[in-house]
Amino acid sequence: MPSYVVTGSNRGIGLAFIRQLSKSPKNIVFALARNPDTPHELQDLHKSRKNVHLLQADITDVKALKAAATKVASVTDGKLDYLVNNAAFADFSRQALPLDGDAEGQEELLEDDLLKTFKVNVIGTIHTTNTFLPLLRKTAETSTAKIICLSTALSDPEFTVRLQLTNLSPYSASKAALNMVVAKYAAEYKDNSNIVFLAISPGLVDTTVKPPTPEELENYMKMIVACKKFYPDWIGVPLTPEQSQWL
């Protein structure tokens, strides 16, 4: 039975992964989240589908990650087929600010934003990958194990300059770093064709849990206008989490 660990599974794309993967009773699905007991929909899936297991862990907490990996191993005979590194952080209250957008004397706000974003999106993903690698290696002894990291087009330098995208700078930079992290793992395991590392972009996906503020909507429309200059046929509507998985 294929086994999956999905981080950041309490909402958005992560929750959609859990919902879709657990439809097949042949799959063993582990939903990893900081607070898996909070979202009602994740709890409902856990109660209604016997193949959904909840794991509590912040991806920056190595001790909690190791405890989660131990639980997975106890169910899967020490193996894991797929690790989906979906969990991420972005400070949307500061998303419109360019890198030089903070007022004089408030430089520490940008530094704090960068440090927290990189700690989750880069360091947290590395910790998660390293923690579950022994289980993935066990699978690789007889079949293919896959580590999938959710990236974004905002991490592409050419795309950024071409569309003059100055928003979400810390998030974009962290995802660019994540792409290099995936490349480093892929280089390390290049001679082992049974372990595959992928960085993929799900596209522009609506993962909001509440209506956008007027400022957020204004920033979104600016991005839409910029994108449509180069992609005029795009209708400008974000994908749902479910749509993003099947394109």
Side-chain angles (χ1 to χ4, degrees), residues 178-191:
L178 176 64
N179 292 342
M180 179 54 70
V181 165
V182 174
K184 291 294 185 179
Y185 276 116
E188 181 179 354
Y189 286 86
K190 186 177 181 180
D191 294 334

Side-chain angles (χ1 to χ4, degrees), residues 208-223:
T208 58
V209 294
K210 59 182 179 179
T213 64
E215 182 183 23
E216 289 172 341
L217 188 59
E218 180 183 357
N219 293 327
Y220 173 75
M221 292 309 300
K222 287 180 180 178
M223 185 170 65

